[in-house]
Amino acid sequence: MQGLTEYIIEIKQAFKDKIKTDSGLELHLDARHSPTLASNKNGKVVSTPLLSETPIQVGDDVVIDPTAVFNRRYRGIDEDSNFLVDKEKGWYRLTPELILLYRKDSDDKWKANGNNVFVEPIEKASETPKSSLIIMPEETKGYVEGEAILKFPNKTLEDEGLIEDDYLYIRKERDIEYKLDGKTYWWIRDVDVLGYKPRYVGGCDPYEFSDN
């Protein structure tokens, strides 16, 4: 099977029934209530578009937009995703913008596709309000708002001179977190990058940015 302008992507299990948190806690999921969290965002390329030249090749690993596997609801009944073309094989017909990252195999590095960019959030320690009734940890981990470290730039950012580990000032309008190779990343678009500071160094002034 081959699409004219779409990829055929194999996603063996569209939704996970449980995940494990960074602390090791196992959470059971219901895809009806948490489709983004429960969705399987990784797939493998079965075929590439017939009418398009693409760096993505058959057999490549890909990271997808989770909405591609979402079920649709019609008259109160859940139906399969519009993108599903072979349920038995787990094949989905996806347009290029639904593919966010790609790589040859697990030994290769992820590359951003189209206008997609992946960044690493910056952890911060924040004070936890103390309570005389509840014993709470001294501090909890959070993320610095509006700032991140560039990890997988796309061609647009590379052409502008940005490279991995640049310190970014970003507009984060979507809240989609990805776990890749055991690390947490945020998915943004290149238009969400508002400024940058070359090569992140811990302790740098987060407000000293270069214009993008």
Side-chain angles (χ1 to χ4, degrees):
M1 182 183 294
Q2 188 173 20
L4 294 179
T5 58
E6 303 92 0
Y7 296 86
I8 303 300
I9 305 297
E10 180 185 54
I11 303 170
K12 288 190 175 295
Q13 183 181 2
F15 295 98
K16 299 167 284 187
D17 57 8
K18 57 187 175 181
I19 60 170
K20 187 171 288 188
T21 65
D22 292 338
S23 63
L25 180 66
E26 195 172 80
L27 300 178
H28 290 267
L29 302 173
D30 187 335
R32 296 171 300 174
H33 303 135
S34 305
T36 299
L37 189 61
S39 62
N40 182 8
K41 305 173 185 68
N42 295 81
K44 189 170 285 289
V45 179
V46 175
S47 68
T48 58
L50 184 64
L51 301 181
S52 303
E53 292 187 7
T54 172
I56 302 173
Q57 300 300 311
V58 172
D60 283 0
D61 296 328
V62 292
V63 173
I64 66 166
D65 184 329
T67 60
V69 300
F70 284 6
N71 293 333
R72 54 192 175 130
R73 194 165 182 80
Y74 181 70
R75 294 184 177 179
I77 300 174
D78 285 333
E79 298 182 347
D80 292 329
S81 164
N82 286 330
F83 300 100
L84 184 64
V85 292
D86 191 319
K87 190 170 186 176
E88 183 178 345
K89 294 180 178 178
W91 286 5
Y92 290 75
R93 188 192 303 269
L94 303 186
T95 52
E97 63 270 16
L98 293 174
I99 296 178
L100 313 182
L101 297 172
Y102 65 95
R103 67 181 182 184
K104 183 177 180 181
D105 52 42
S106 59
D107 294 326
D108 194 17
K109 192 169 185 176
W110 289 111
K111 302 175 183 66
N113 185 52
N115 62 354
N116 302 292
V117 175
F118 275 64
V119 300
E120 184 178 345
I122 301 170
E123 281 193 351
K124 68 176 180 180
S126 59
E127 289 289 334
T128 302
K130 292 181 172 58
S131 168
S132 60
L133 301 177
I134 302 174
I135 299 175
M136 303 180 73
E138 286 299 313
E139 57 183 24
T140 56
K141 290 293 184 181
Y143 294 123
V144 177
E145 287 295 325
E147 300 160 25
I149 309 305
L150 179 60
K151 284 301 177 181
F152 305 125
N154 65 356
K155 188 175 185 305
T156 298
L157 294 187
E158 289 177 338
D159 288 347
E160 294 180 2
L162 279 73
I163 58 176
E164 181 182 354
D165 289 334
D166 278 351
Y167 194 107
L168 302 182
Y169 180 51
I170 64 172
R171 175 179 55 233
K172 184 171 174 278
E173 295 183 346
R174 61 185 58 81
D175 187 21
I176 299 184
E177 195 173 280
Y178 280 72
K179 289 283 188 181
L180 298 174
D181 305 321
K183 293 185 177 181
T184 299
Y185 298 95
W186 286 341
W187 165 36
I188 64 173
R189 310 283 194 189
D190 50 31
V191 294
D192 297 323
V193 177
L194 306 178
Y196 78 99
K197 184 181 181 72
R199 287 286 182 181
Y200 172 69
V201 178
C204 70
D205 184 344
Y207 299 103
E208 291 181 359
F209 293 102
S210 302
D211 291 334
N212 184 8

